[in-house]
Amino acid sequence: MKVWEAVQASNSAPLYFPPLELDCDGQQLLLMDGALLNNNPVEVAFHEASLLWPEDNIALIVSIGTGTTETSNQENGKGTVLDLVDILVTIVTATSEKMEQFCRWLMVIGSKAEAIRIDPPGAGAIHADSTYPPDWKFSISQTQKFLCSSKGVRLIDLVVTRLIKNGKQEIGS
C-alpha cells in the first residue's frame, strides 16, 4: 500500500466519502476510516508493533489527537434526541479516555513502555463536515496556542527526549 492510499483510506469517513477500493494480491478490499470501530487504535498499533518486532521491547507510544471539546450538558435532564446524538458523538470521539484505558492496560501487563498523549484542548470543537473557514481557523489557532504553551512545549520536549534516549540505547546495544 502506498502512503497516499493509506491517507485516502483513513480519510474515507463513512457517509462523507466513499471507501478506497484496493486490489491487494487479487483480493478486493474496501478501506475506510476506522473511527466508528476504533477512533484511537493505540492497542492495535501496539499489537502490530509487537508482532513486527517480537524481540524488541516497545519503549514509547505517542498518541497525537486532533483536539478535545467540551461536552455539552443536558438542560433539565429532558433527554432529547439531540442530547442522545451529543452523547453518541462524545462516546465515538472519546480518544483521550481510550488512551487512559491503554495506559492502565500497560501497567496490568507489566510493560515498561511509556505512553504520551498530545491533544490540544478546544481544537476539536468543529464538526467533521464543516466548511466554515472561521471554524478551521479557530481549531488551528487553538492547536498553535497549545503547542506554544508550557504544557505543549513540555510534551513535545518529553517526546523528543525519549526518542533520543531510546535511539541511543538501541545504537549502544
Side-chain angles (χ1 to χ4, degrees):
M1 176 181 281
K2 297 179 176 101
V3 172
W4 72 265
E5 292 170 324
V7 170
Q8 183 177 344
S10 181
N11 286 306
S12 296
L15 303 178
Y16 292 105
F17 302 106
L20 172 67
E21 296 180 38
L22 190 65
D23 182 357
C24 185
D25 297 327
Q27 183 180 6
Q28 287 301 115
L29 301 176
L30 289 177
L31 305 174
M32 65 189 80
D33 179 54
L36 293 176
L37 297 175
N38 200 344
N39 203 18
N40 183 355
V42 65
E43 299 105 336
V44 175
F46 184 83
H47 178 70
E48 286 183 5
S50 300
L51 293 175
L52 289 169
W53 301 286
E55 65 284 347
D56 294 333
N57 289 322
I58 298 170
L60 180 66
I61 298 109
V62 179
S63 174
I64 301 174
T66 56
T68 58
T69 60
E70 294 293 322
T71 56
S72 65
N73 297 320
Q74 294 180 357
E75 288 187 26
N76 304 325
K78 292 182 181 178
T80 67
V81 173
L82 290 177
D83 291 333
L84 177 60
V85 169
D86 199 32
I87 290 167
L88 291 173
V89 168
T90 300
I91 290 169
V92 171
T93 59
T95 56
S96 293
E97 290 82 359
K98 183 83 169 217
M99 186 65 172
E100 290 170 14
Q101 291 171 353
F102 176 71
C103 290
R104 287 192 295 272
W105 178 76
L106 285 177
M107 289 190 316
V108 168
I109 67 168
S111 174
K112 303 233 184 281
E114 183 174 5
I116 299 171
R117 173 82 175 164
I118 300 173
D119 212 3
I126 60 173
H127 294 282
D129 60 352
S130 176
T131 58
Y132 187 57
D135 286 349
W136 291 98
K137 288 179 183 176
F138 175 77
S139 184
I140 291 167
S141 72
Q142 289 297 101
T143 301
Q144 290 171 336
K145 183 177 169 184
F146 172 74
L147 291 174
C148 293
S149 71
S150 59
K151 182 178 181 181
V153 170
R154 277 196 314 272
L155 281 172
I156 300 297
D157 186 53
L158 180 64
V159 169
V160 170
T161 301
R162 296 300 191 272
L163 288 172
I164 291 170
K165 175 184 154 199
N166 293 331
K168 286 180 181 176
Q169 286 177 349
E170 191 169 304
I171 292 169
S173 55

